[in-house]
Amino acid sequence: MDFVKQRQWSSDFSTEALCTRILERHRDSVRVQKPHVAVANLVRIIEATLKLSNRQGFHATSLRDLAQASGLSMGGLYSYFDNKTTLLSMILGEVAITATEVLSDAPEPVVDDPATHLRWLIETHIRLTEVMQPWFVFAYMEAKSFPSAERRLVIDSEAATQEIFAGVLRRGVENGTFAIADIELTASLIKPLLQDWYVKRAKYRRRKTSIDQYIAAVSAFIEAAVGRTGGA
């Protein structure tokens, strides 16, 4: 199966492309009128936010820190958001929306067979988190310190991802492809396997595990666990 590799991952999910979508969703609150200027500065702001958060945590990062790291003035930052919580919502919203849209967009030939669809979801999720790794790590590592509304956004996003997997597993059970006693629990157990690739990257780098090897191993492990009995 080579459906995922046909996508132009590097361009579709570059920081610039993601910031372009953020601007489109927050056009009413961003006070910079020229799109190319707004996107370029959003790239600087978000890249600085992700780097600082990885180093010292989002909660401990001040707007002054962010201004210095991004090369923008404090006033410049306020042209894009009114406070850190709004910036947080921009980043988390993009992660949640992108993940749901991508995972819900399987090609029709894939959707027709639950076993093929399950493999597609596994590969798509891992490759998406590969190109958006700093974004997904940020959402995962910082979640406990988020305000309640933003923490709920992360929880809801994870639940939405699990339901996409559960839907495929459900169809597989119905047509006899899979043999699963508890579909929802099985879907929830798949998620940590997917997260491990972007959260514990250093471990796989030390082992010289490539992304293709990881996808193949996780796919084989999950297929064995769901009792795959057929499919492509």
Side-chain angles (χ1 to χ4, degrees):
M1 184 181 67
D2 199 29
F3 298 108
V4 174
K5 294 178 182 178
Q6 295 174 7
R7 301 185 69 104
Q8 297 178 351
W9 293 98
S10 59
S11 59
D12 289 352
F13 305 109
S14 65
T15 304
E16 183 176 358
L18 296 170
C19 287
T20 298
R21 290 194 279 272
I22 289 175
L23 177 62
E24 291 169 355
R25 279 194 281 273
H26 295 270
R27 184 69 271 188
D28 292 342
S29 59
V30 175
R31 298 200 301 271
V32 177
Q33 296 303 310
K34 294 180 179 180
H36 70 283
V37 175
V39 169
N41 284 337
L42 277 172
V43 168
R44 293 165 65 184
I45 291 168
I46 290 179
E47 285 184 343
T49 300
L50 297 178
K51 288 178 182 177
L52 288 171
S53 297
N54 185 56
R55 185 187 311 156
Q56 63 196 40
F58 183 75
H59 182 71
T61 298
S62 67
L63 289 180
R64 193 169 300 280
D65 293 334
L66 186 55
Q68 183 175 8
S70 65
L72 298 174
S73 66
M74 293 286 287
L77 293 182
Y78 284 121
S79 297
Y80 295 89
F81 51 85
D82 52 359
N83 54 51
K84 278 178 59 180
T85 301
T86 301
L87 172 61
L88 178 62
S89 297
M90 287 179 171
I91 296 173
L92 297 181
E94 187 58 34
V95 172
I97 291 170
T98 300
T100 300
E101 287 181 349
V102 171
L103 294 176
S104 300
D105 193 31
E108 192 170 326
V110 170
V111 177
D112 289 342
D113 175 61
T116 302
H117 196 176
L118 179 60
R119 290 198 305 273
W120 184 90
L121 283 176
I122 293 166
E123 181 172 1
T124 298
H125 192 289
I126 292 172
R127 291 195 184 278
L128 177 64
T129 60
E130 172 74 7
V131 294
M132 289 182 63
Q133 199 238 4
W135 299 68
F136 277 88
V137 169
F138 174 85
Y140 179 88
M141 299 299 292
E142 297 286 339
K144 290 182 179 179
S145 63
F146 291 159
S148 57
E150 284 66 36
R151 190 163 57 250
R152 172 52 57 184
L153 176 59
V154 173
I155 292 171
D156 289 347
S157 176
E158 183 167 334
T161 298
Q162 290 181 7
E163 180 51 36
I164 292 172
F165 275 87
V168 175
L169 296 176
R170 200 172 293 118
R171 287 193 298 107
V173 169
E174 290 170 355
N175 74 2
T177 301
F178 304 137
I180 306 169
D182 191 328
I183 291 171
E184 280 67 32
L185 177 58
T186 301
S188 71
L189 292 173
I190 290 173
K191 184 68 173 176
L193 291 172
L194 305 176
Q195 291 173 325
D196 215 49
W197 176 251
Y198 63 86
V199 173
K200 299 179 181 178
R201 176 62 54 80
K203 175 174 67 175
Y204 297 106
R205 188 179 295 117
R206 287 195 302 270
R207 294 175 178 174
K208 301 187 185 319
T209 302
S210 70
I211 186 171
D212 291 329
Q213 290 172 323
Y214 191 78
I215 289 169
V218 170
S219 297
F221 185 86
I222 292 173
E223 286 181 355
V226 300
R228 177 185 166 189
T229 60

